[in-house]
Amino acid sequence: MIQRYETGPRMSEMTVYNGVAYLAGQVADDASADIAGQTQQVLAQIDALLAQAGSDKSKILRAQIFLADIADFDAMNAVWEKWVVPGQTPARATVQAPLANPDWKVEIVVTAAV
């Protein structure tokens, strides 16, 4: 059975199937924050969604990170590295990409075991 969380007319924030949680791209609610602040917001949203599925950041299998400006890579990583569980870091890719809102600096997509 597929479970859908925070489902709207366009998308769900998370779907869970066969013991795997698939999160939609998460972006900051306060787009006026700098890259560190936006990254913190996004990671908090990921924590909350994973908790709804009975999972957590130690079970993330894969992360895809989209940065509006690759120059923010180091500042984003400083927040990321404080957040991830040592020894439980997921497979990850980070790329520069134009985001849907020009004020967003980072969008993160994760897949996690439940």
Side-chain angles (χ1 to χ4, degrees):
M1 176 170 94
I2 299 172
Q3 296 174 288
R4 299 178 194 284
Y5 296 79
E6 300 182 29
T7 300
R10 182 181 307 158
M11 59 180 266
S12 295
E13 289 297 329
M14 176 175 64
T15 56
V16 177
Y17 178 71
N18 203 25
V20 179
Y22 303 89
L23 276 64
Q26 299 300 302
V27 294
D29 288 329
D30 178 5
S32 69
D34 64 8
I35 185 63
Q38 287 197 26
T39 302
Q40 289 167 344
Q41 291 177 53
V42 169
L43 297 177
Q45 290 168 206
I46 290 169
D47 282 333
L49 284 166
L50 290 175
Q52 288 183 53
S55 188
D56 64 61
K57 63 188 173 186
S58 72
K59 297 177 182 170
I60 295 175
L61 304 169
R62 177 180 180 203
Q64 297 169 289
I65 302 174
F66 302 92
L67 293 173
D69 185 346
I70 201 68
D72 287 333
F73 185 73
D74 291 338
M76 178 277 301
N77 271 327
V79 176
W80 174 269
E81 290 168 2
K82 289 178 185 173
W83 177 77
V84 292
V85 178
Q88 303 298 316
T89 52
R92 191 186 104 169
T94 305
V95 298
Q96 178 174 308
L99 302 180
N101 177 333
D103 293 329
W104 289 335
K105 299 180 182 316
V106 61
E107 181 170 353
I108 301 177
V109 179
V110 302
T111 303
V114 174

